[in-house]
Amino acid sequence: MNAEAAQLLFSLIEFLGMLAFGLSGLIAAANKRLDVVGAASVSFIAAFGGGTLRDLLLDRRPFFWMEYQGYVWMLLGVTVLAMFVMRGRRIDLTQRAIQIPDALGLGLFAALGTAYALQMGQSGLVASLLGVVTGVFGGVLRDVLCNEIPAVFSDHRPYALCAFAGAWTFVAADGLSTPHWLALLAALSVTAGIRLLALRLDWRVPGWRDAGSSA
């Protein structure tokens, strides 16, 4: 795959990840009964927060959403339209509704963050950590804005670990000279697949015991 085709693929993945996390932000804002400005703000932060931190750490300028300003207009349009559709139909949103777009956004951004880091000459370890940052940070900011403890720290089910596994999948595939589209698909499948399985099967990671629990 030549450089132009690779950049087009990266832009498509970035757009899909932005929509997935933007939707998760909108659902979170709707659950908190925020107004249209609040909903747009939460969607924006969820969609662009992880990628912005990635660009800061990699010293990439301009930030991806400044370079492709159409992303911002499309996200704002989708947010306003979706909000009025949900209000008009009185759709009752639950916490479970956020899980699928959140898992897809996590997988897309983790894969893309890893790919950008490798493209800029970072090691596999640094690239995988930047993939986790890209995938996780937007959701952290979304939860903070909605006055919630970020789910990545509190729900005890694998989240950042899923992104880490997906990021290393991309690193391994890239090391084997796998085509970029296939490496991205593999990383997305691993991240989102493990996350959705963890939610379905209620897998848990170690955490603090309750004060009254036995050892």
Side-chain angles (χ1 to χ4, degrees), residues 23-34 42 98 142-143 146:
L23 178 59
S24 77
L26 177 62
I27 293 172
N31 286 333
K32 290 294 183 177
R33 298 297 186 262
L34 301 186
V42 174
I98 206 173
R142 175 198 66 213
D143 293 345
C146 290

Side-chain angles (χ1 to χ4, degrees), residues 21-211:
F21 265 132
L23 178 59
S24 77
L26 177 62
I27 293 172
N31 286 333
K32 290 294 183 177
R33 298 297 186 262
L34 301 186
D35 62 21
V36 66
V37 175
S41 298
V42 174
S43 293
F44 184 94
I45 291 297
F48 300 130
T52 300
L53 181 58
R54 174 203 66 208
D55 289 351
L56 276 170
L57 293 173
L58 288 173
D59 198 25
R60 293 181 71 239
R61 297 292 189 280
F63 297 144
F64 76 101
W65 55 270
M66 293 180 178
E67 185 176 5
Y68 304 106
Q69 294 181 25
Y71 289 172
V72 180
W73 287 112
M74 292 184 70
L75 180 66
L76 290 174
V78 168
T79 297
V80 173
L81 179 62
M83 184 174 182
F84 282 107
V85 168
M86 288 189 293
R87 279 169 54 89
R89 297 186 178 182
R90 296 182 180 179
I91 298 175
D92 185 22
L93 298 172
T94 65
Q95 190 64 25
R96 182 170 294 183
I98 206 173
Q99 292 175 352
I100 292 178
D102 187 71
L104 292 175
L106 178 68
L108 289 165
F109 274 161
L112 190 63
T114 307
Y116 273 128
L118 289 175
Q119 191 180 62
M120 297 185 70
Q122 300 297 327
S123 68
L125 176 60
V126 172
S128 63
L129 291 175
L130 283 170
V132 173
V133 166
T134 308
V136 166
F137 196 67
V140 169
L141 291 177
R142 175 198 66 213
D143 293 345
V144 169
L145 285 177
C146 290
N147 198 31
E148 299 283 350
I149 297 174
V152 63
F153 305 136
S154 62
D155 78 350
H156 304 297
R157 287 169 293 190
Y159 191 80
L161 290 175
C162 302
F164 195 59
W168 273 108
T169 299
F170 186 91
V171 171
D174 185 73
L176 295 172
S177 300
T178 305
H180 273 102
W181 69 268
L182 186 56
L184 287 165
L185 180 61
L188 165 63
S189 300
V190 168
T191 301
I194 294 176
R195 175 61 179 168
L196 292 174
L197 275 175
L199 292 171
R200 182 174 180 82
L201 301 177
D202 199 30
W203 292 344
R204 299 276 170 165
V205 296
W208 295 107
R209 294 181 181 274
D210 294 332

